[in-house]
């Protein structure tokens, strides 16, 4: 996907931009500052070398698209939303992964960013469905998808390997029809 696909992807308080290797220092500093917020749910890269490996497929792999949610006022990275495992054909689906950084948590910036990502997913990317798999005790993540209009579709024991163990997840999804 070209950078032009996110042009105009801005809301009142945030803009989306694609990941780049130039974001390593800011992203990893924000990840380190946010360790208490993220753990035990997710583990974004905290060092530039780890960021390089993490960001490369979000930049170069057509089955993944990574967006940085940035504050309009100063360009600071507030969080990230990735569409992973993008499948075409009759499926036209992707799976979300996301996280806010501590300085931006609870300010509604990720809700605004997710709305913009859904516009990209169901517009230029041509997807029909987005899914989010969330650990049941991750209340902030569940609240985000509820606000965005996702529906609960099921429960999967031992679905994703996180922090040294297979974790149960709730499966949430939204489709183009639900957004109309």
């Amino acid at each position: 996907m070209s950078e032009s696909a996110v042009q105009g992807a801005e809301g009142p308080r945030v803009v989306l931009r694609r990941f780049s290797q130039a974001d390593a220092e800011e992203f990893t500093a924000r990840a380190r500052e946010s360790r208490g917020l993220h753990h035990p749910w997710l583990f974004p890269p905290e060092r530039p070398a780890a960021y390089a490996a993490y960001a490369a497929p979000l930049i170069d792999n057509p089955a993944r698209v990574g967006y940085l949610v940035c504050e309009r006022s100063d360009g600071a990275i507030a969080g990230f939303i990735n569409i992973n495992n993008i499948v075409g054909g009759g499926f036209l689906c992707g799976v979300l992964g996301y996280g806010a950084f501590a300085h931006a948590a609870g300010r509604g910036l990720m809700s605004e960013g997710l709305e913009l990502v859904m516009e990209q997913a169901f517009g230029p990317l041509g997807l029909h469905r987005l899914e989010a798999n969330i650990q049941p005790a991750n209340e902030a993540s569940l609240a985000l998808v509820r606000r965005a209009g996702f529906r609960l579709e099921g429960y999967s024991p031992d679905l994703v390997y996180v922090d040294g163990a297979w974790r149960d997840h709730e499966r949430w999804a939204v489709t183009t029809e639900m957004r109309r």
Side-chain angles (χ1 to χ4, degrees):
M1 183 187 81
S2 69
E3 184 66 31
S4 63
V6 295
Q7 287 180 355
E10 58 183 66
R13 297 179 302 145
V14 303
V15 298
L16 294 183
R17 63 182 175 80
R18 295 292 310 274
F19 272 75
S20 78
Q21 293 297 347
D23 295 306
E25 290 298 328
E26 181 183 1
F27 188 100
T28 57
R30 300 250 184 238
R32 288 188 303 274
E33 294 165 1
S34 304
R35 188 177 297 139
L37 175 67
H38 292 156
H39 292 206
W41 317 117
L42 75 151
F43 299 84
E46 295 184 355
R47 299 284 174 241
Y51 174 87
Y54 174 82
L58 295 168
I59 296 167
D60 300 325
N61 183 339
R64 300 181 73 189
V65 178
Y67 298 101
L68 297 173
V69 179
C70 301
E71 296 188 61
R72 274 186 89 169
S73 61
D74 60 6
I77 301 172
F80 56 95
I81 303 173
N82 304 327
I83 306 175
N84 302 299
N85 306 326
I86 296 172
V87 178
F91 202 46
L92 295 176
C93 181
V95 179
L96 293 179
Y98 51 83
F101 290 124
H103 76 283
R107 295 174 42 208
L109 302 175
M110 290 300 288
S111 290
E112 191 174 315
L114 182 53
E115 180 63 32
L116 295 171
V117 168
M118 289 190 298
E119 289 173 9
Q120 293 297 305
F122 298 132
L125 290 175
L127 297 180
H128 173 259
R129 175 184 176 87
L130 286 175
E131 299 177 359
N133 298 304
I134 303 167
Q135 292 179 59
N138 188 341
E139 294 174 13
S141 187
L142 292 169
L144 178 65
V145 296
R146 281 188 192 108
R147 281 192 304 271
F150 283 60
R151 69 178 169 223
L152 177 62
E153 293 191 333
Y155 182 85
S156 295
D158 302 328
L159 181 66
V160 181
Y161 194 79
V162 178
D163 196 24
W166 289 99
R167 308 288 178 186
D168 301 346
H169 283 70
E170 292 182 7
R171 296 184 325 276
W172 292 77
V174 64
T175 65
T176 55
E177 291 82 6
M178 293 168 62
R179 304 245 322 140
R180 290 188 186 128

